[in-house]
Amino acid sequence: MCGIVGYVGERDALPIILQSLKRIEYRGYDSAGIACITNNGIEVYKDKGKVDDVIEKINYLKSISSNTGMGHCRWATHGAPSKTNAHPHLDGEGGIAVVHNGIIENFQSLKEELLSLGCTFVSETDTEVIPHLINHCLKNSGDVEWELKEAVKETLSRLIGSYAIIVAAKGFDGLVAARKESPLIIGVGDRENFIASDVPAVLEQTNRVIYLDEGDLAVVKNDSVYIENGGAEVKRAERLIPWTIEDAEKGGYEHFMLKEIHEEPKAITDTLRGYLAGDEITLGIDLGIEGDTKGKSILMLACGTSYYAALCGKHIIENLAKVPVQLEFASEFNYSDFVLDGANVTVMAITQSGETADTLMALKKAKRYGCKTVAITNVVGSSATRIADETIYTGAGPEIGVAATKSFVAQLVIFYLLGLQKSLAKLPEAAFLEYLEELRRMPQIAQLVLDEANGNIQKQARYLSKYEHAFFVGRGVNLPIALEGALKLKEISYIHAEGYAAGELKHGPFALLTEDTPVVAIVTHQPFKKSLIKSATQASQNVYEKMLGNVKEIKARGAPVIAIAEEGDEEVEKYVDAVVRVPRTSAIFSPIPNTVALHLLAYWAAKERGCEIDKPRNLAKSVTVE
Ligand code: F6R
């Protein structure tokens, strides 16, 4: 998975390309490179290392006079991070340069074919076959633009796999771009145009954006954007992106992740704003479970953090709307003989990026079953939105930190809205209105955690950061939050953390509990308001007592316990070593404050350990490969 950028215009291409690359280095950061078309041909510079370091070297080494060029930041898939494996890649004659995001699955057989034709390869990448193939498809007709476009088309017809590519050719003052299963956008300027894998790359230059569709091929020049699909010209709408570049920058925080955690209240507000007017919830889409829900169910498909949001969504929707919800990892669904009744199951793909390869594949499979499909995503125009029948957008805004934070709480908000919308026929109106009132308070609740618990959380994080193993436990609607807390801690602080159902510890993990395995226990399940107590099930009322029981069992094994507990809960203090206080809510909304607290806990623990928080090792923001 990588980031690609391109520029065609009247200004100096190099500084614009380097600036754009910095904006999307979260897509890949093990190596970077640029190629610019000059009067003498194509000049390339690339190297292994962080994008910033490579850019610094380029700035130091290169002054290139060029109005057309491209850049790439890499997250290695084929061949280790190295100077030769870095993009752009060239054909044997150095007349064609390509940057690529995706995977060419049949590159080995293409490479053998090209080797037998006399080509020489210098890298271990799958990408390098592309410029060689393009070269072989050129016809020497004299019309460089037409010829390049046709050669790229012919090349693409030979490729199996996924790609977003930009192609530059000596003698052509433009770029050719194409996409299949990898995102690509065009930023539209005044006598200049930009190409990029993602919007933040172009935001400093323009907020006019064209999202290329699956199978699109574009010829981009300084004064025109020509797009074709399946051999015929197509028109794609231009969208105005409402984000400013400030939205996509750190805004004074040390890390994007901290900024994005502090934006969780706003993410909740903005997500609610889109769908809640007065007491009316309008998601504005046909979910396939309208009217009588008898016999109908939902299947949620997702990966990673989005999977945990979906697991929480299952609790929320089943509790409020009484519609059965099943859940599968997208990567498991894709390779299982799932029994699915297409006529009665609505499939929801939860993916903040809208580009996760496993989730996209799962969506396509669900469509083959004949299911109604809904994408829940944060990215307008992303691939998931184009595959699914319907889309519900979360309003989290751009999320740059690799670890998903504000997009997670925004996903939870969608589940509250979905659950409440479908609960209308089943809940007494007074209870419905009380839930709605509480949902509207969630931005303040999240803000209270940031304002009042942050100091204590930093203290607990310092403590946690000294250990190499930790457990996170919860029950019911907060089990997914324990799983999310553990995932967040492990991915950014590299502390081995396991999320567990509190009642399951005694079935094995107890053997691991010692004074060196702190346990973070979510103990926030007290029913809140009288009317909500009536509608809450007996089971959820018992969860608090059961959690206290589990905490006592853990303490008896010698493990230190940090509890996430509500303001005013004095009972819990008797059994634990430390308490992080969160505001009181009814049980079903407790995932919101608990999530904010656990995101902060992970952040501060990683900071204490001096980790590269926004770019954890071996990870990337959107996982566009299987
Ligand atoms: C963890 C994280 C990942 C993503 C997962 C799915 O913090 O961000 O686990 O949640 O890669 O990504 P999306 O939601 O874009 O499909």
Side-chain angles (χ1 to χ4, degrees), residues 303-306 350-354 356 359 402-404 487-488 491 623:
C303 304
T305 281
S306 290
I350 327 302
T351 165
Q352 68 79 22
S353 65
T356 300
T359 310
V402 164
L487 174 65
K488 219 92 302 176
E491 75 172 312
V623 186

Side-chain angles (χ1 to χ4, degrees), residues 279-311:
D279 292 339
E280 207 178 328
I281 299 168
T282 39
L283 287 161
I285 62 157
D286 168 15
L287 283 175
I289 47 170
E290 271 58 35
D292 184 7
T293 53
K294 201 154 172 270
K296 306 273 172 130
S297 67
I298 294 170
L299 170 64
M300 294 195 189
L301 301 170
C303 304
T305 281
S306 290
Y307 178 88
Y308 296 145
L311 186 55

